[in-house]
Amino acid sequence: MTEIPQELTRFLASASRVVALTGAGASQESGLRTFRDAQTGLWAQYKPEDLASPEAFTRDPKLVWDWYAWRREAIKGARPNPGHYALVEIEKRIPNFTLITQNVDGLHRFAGSQNVLELHGNIQKVRCSECGTFTETWGDDSESVPVCERCGGLLRPDVVWFGEPLPRSELEAAVTASRACQVFFSIGTSGAVQPAAALAHAARNNGSVVVEINAEPTPLTPIVDFALHGKSGEILPGLVRAVWGG
Ligand code: APR
């Protein structure tokens, strides 16, 4: 059991502005595979640029569409884990709480989190790759990539691919919240992808306490105030109990 430092519980008990940034590790205990974990990582089987880039979609739209359809299926059966629910509890107790996620699985909202910034989009949303029109229904004949009813362009998931910019308003809100917070949590993320990884530095440079909750040390570990290494589905509920009881 990872011990929660008393100093951290004191910071949290008196904080009014808190940010939590989550990555694939936060959904690992929901049965979803992380990106870079050795052996089990999704990317171990595929080169990321062959599946999650505009170039890949141009080269082989069907391969890319099928991969996202497969992930969508896996996510359909996934349920939030105790870490997701602990973040809902923290939001209830902190007046100004922002949850920034790199995950496209939608599990934070499923659990009940309200103020969520999805930096990399949401896999359940689909839009036209040509005209940008969103659609909630599409035909899946398994032979070809479904097309936009409006313009005939190929449909694609509304997620951020390698080389694509992040959604501007989400990114701006994430940077603003990270600069203003008193406590910043980095949870289940390898810190390998920018600009999400830079948010912890923005928080620290503005005087925030920075806390890492991760299965293992990351490039961020040397600069954090508290590094709690273990499963977020165990550490986060433990943190809630340590600060607010129950
Ligand atoms: N609890 C806490 N941490 C965990 C757990 C767990 N149960 N399981 C795994 N981890 C940690 C791993 O040790 C790793 O450091 O979560 C981290 C997951 O890292 P990545 O797989 O790199 O995921 P992430 O940081 O979210 O990747 C960022 O990269 O490929 C892009 O767009 C994709 O959103 C993704 C982004």
Side-chain angles (χ1 to χ4, degrees):
M1 188 91 166
T2 310
E3 205 176 310
I4 310 294
Q6 272 200 356
E7 212 188 340
L8 173 58
T9 63
R10 276 199 296 273
F11 277 128
L12 212 50
S14 62
S16 57
R17 296 184 306 280
V18 173
V19 165
L21 167 71
T22 63
S27 293
Q28 186 265 336
E29 290 154 89
S30 294
L32 298 178
R33 299 201 271 176
T34 65
F35 291 93
R36 289 176 191 79
D37 284 354
Q39 279 135 18
T40 58
L42 284 173
W43 300 137
Q45 296 165 57
Y46 310 99
K47 277 195 265 161
E49 61 272 22
D50 290 342
L51 296 165
S53 68
E55 294 77 19
F57 192 65
T58 304
R59 195 168 47 238
D60 192 344
K62 183 79 172 91
L63 174 77
V64 174
W65 178 266
D66 283 352
W67 186 61
Y68 279 94
W70 176 75
R71 287 180 58 197
R72 220 178 272 122
E73 274 307 302
I75 286 168
K76 215 186 262 175
R79 292 292 172 267
N81 66 61
H84 292 108
Y85 290 117
L87 288 166
V88 177
E89 292 306 314
I90 294 175
E91 181 169 28
K92 283 183 193 157
R93 291 164 169 91
I94 300 286
N96 192 331
F97 179 75
T98 307
L99 182 47
I100 306 168
T101 188
Q102 299 167 92
N103 299 341
V104 296
D105 55 38
L107 287 178
H108 287 302
R109 284 192 210 277
F110 191 124
S113 287
Q114 304 283 321
N115 191 19
V116 184
L117 300 171
E118 291 179 320
L119 275 193
H120 292 173
N122 189 306
I123 199 169
Q124 306 299 349
K125 291 190 189 157
V126 165
R127 65 179 152 90
C128 175
S129 60
E130 298 290 333
C131 72
T133 301
F134 283 89
T135 178
E136 283 177 9
T137 50
W138 56 88
D140 242 338
D141 64 6
S142 77
E143 292 295 311
S144 50
V145 175
V147 295
C148 174
E149 282 188 359
R150 205 166 171 193
C151 77
L154 296 177
L155 295 181
R156 59 160 284 179
D158 186 36
V159 300
V160 177
W161 282 335
F162 288 100
E164 291 186 323
L166 273 67
R168 182 196 278 255
S169 64
E170 274 80 359
L171 180 58
E172 279 174 8
V175 171
T176 303
S178 301
R179 285 189 181 143
C181 69
Q182 297 151 320
V183 182
F184 181 100
F185 287 95
S186 177
I187 303 166
T189 175
S190 60
V193 172
Q194 297 292 355
L199 295 172
H201 289 269
R204 186 173 189 269
N205 293 343
N206 285 277
S208 174
V209 170
V210 178
V211 187
E212 177 174 72
I213 298 177
N214 208 72
E216 59 192 11
T218 73
L220 192 67
T221 309
I223 71 122
V224 303
D225 299 285
F226 300 97
L228 309 180
H229 289 142
K231 292 181 178 241
S232 53
E234 292 169 8
I235 295 175
L236 282 166
L239 182 74
V240 170
R241 279 194 300 275
V243 180
W244 294 286

